[in-house]
């Protein structure tokens, strides 16, 4: 069994909760997805197992409360869920506001800088969240073409 799955099992047991096939299934879907999964996408993936939408919602709520997942914006105000450390490597998102492409950035060098910025407030930092929004090369090309057409 994957090391991360053991972490999940321990976290559930610590709360007196059972490791149900449904919980494990949702976890595995999140783990195998390279991008944050929206609720409709999760429901579609799960449809074949006979799990209903309410169960998916409940599991996501539980996982959020447990610190297993967090909701992230995936463009145009829609929300996706993804695993957070220690279930997944710390990373940030580069989001295209044109086509909603999301790229994971793993090379985070912000920790030290953030410590400096918050130093005067004497906070103990638990985590940080940064999303960078822009236009991908394809959307930049589209925009340039629209402009040259006098749009
Ligand atoms: Zn784009
Ligand atoms: Zn991500
Ligand atoms: Zn970071």
């Amino acid at each position: 069994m994957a090391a991360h799955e053991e972490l999940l099992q321990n976290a559930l047991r610590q709360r007196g909760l059972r490791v149900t096939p449904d919980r494990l299934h949702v976890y595995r879907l999140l783990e195998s997805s390279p991008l944050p999964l929206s609720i409709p996408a999760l429901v579609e993936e799960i449809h074949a197992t006979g799990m209903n939408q309410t169960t998916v919602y409940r599991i996501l709520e539980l996982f959020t409360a447990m610190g297993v997942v967090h909701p992230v914006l995936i463009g145009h105000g829609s929300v996706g869920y993804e695993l957070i450390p220690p279930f997944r490597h710390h990373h940030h998102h580069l989001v295209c506001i044109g086509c909603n492409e999301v790229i994971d950035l793993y090379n985070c060098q912000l920790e030290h800088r953030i410590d400096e910025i918050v130093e005067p407030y004497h906070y103990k930092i638990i985590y940080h969240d940064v999303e960078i929004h822009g236009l991908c090369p394809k959307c930049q090309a589209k925009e340039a073409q629209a402009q040259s057409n006098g749009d």
Side-chain angles (χ1 to χ4, degrees):
M1 187 188 304
H4 287 170
E5 238 171 80
E6 237 162 79
L7 276 179
L8 177 75
Q9 303 205 340
N10 292 339
L12 283 166
R13 291 203 180 105
Q14 267 171 24
R15 292 176 168 246
L17 297 168
R18 284 184 313 124
V19 183
T20 63
D22 285 353
R23 286 170 184 162
L24 215 50
H25 191 72
V26 169
Y27 180 82
R28 282 179 184 158
L29 281 174
L30 288 162
E31 191 168 47
S32 64
S33 170
L35 295 172
L37 280 172
S38 67
I39 288 178
L42 267 167
V43 168
E44 202 185 304
E45 292 273 0
I46 272 154
H47 196 68
T49 70
M51 201 190 306
N52 66 38
Q53 192 163 332
T54 316
T55 309
V56 177
Y57 274 105
R58 284 216 194 100
I59 292 171
L60 285 174
E61 237 170 67
L62 173 69
F63 281 0
T64 305
M66 287 171 66
V68 175
V69 298
H70 69 170
V72 293
L73 280 177
I74 48 174
H76 296 310
S78 74
V79 170
Y81 285 82
E82 71 174 2
L83 300 176
I84 53 180
F87 299 95
R88 186 167 181 187
H89 278 302
H90 176 71
H91 66 279
H92 296 288
H93 293 144
L94 183 57
V95 183
C96 177
I97 60 170
C99 65
N100 291 342
E101 179 183 59
V102 180
I103 293 173
D104 285 340
L105 306 170
Y106 284 98
N107 184 21
C108 174
Q109 295 170 349
L110 295 170
E111 236 106 76
H112 182 64
R113 186 78 191 97
I114 285 169
D115 283 347
E116 275 175 20
I117 295 168
V118 303
E119 213 256 303
Y121 306 99
H122 307 291
Y123 264 54
K124 178 183 178 234
I125 302 305
I126 311 296
Y127 70 90
H128 65 263
D129 232 341
V130 177
E131 258 174 42
I132 304 164
H133 299 260
L135 283 174
C136 72
K138 267 187 219 156
C139 290
Q140 286 175 58
K142 247 189 246 164
E143 202 177 58
Q145 202 178 6
Q147 268 164 15
S148 72
N149 289 343
D151 245 2

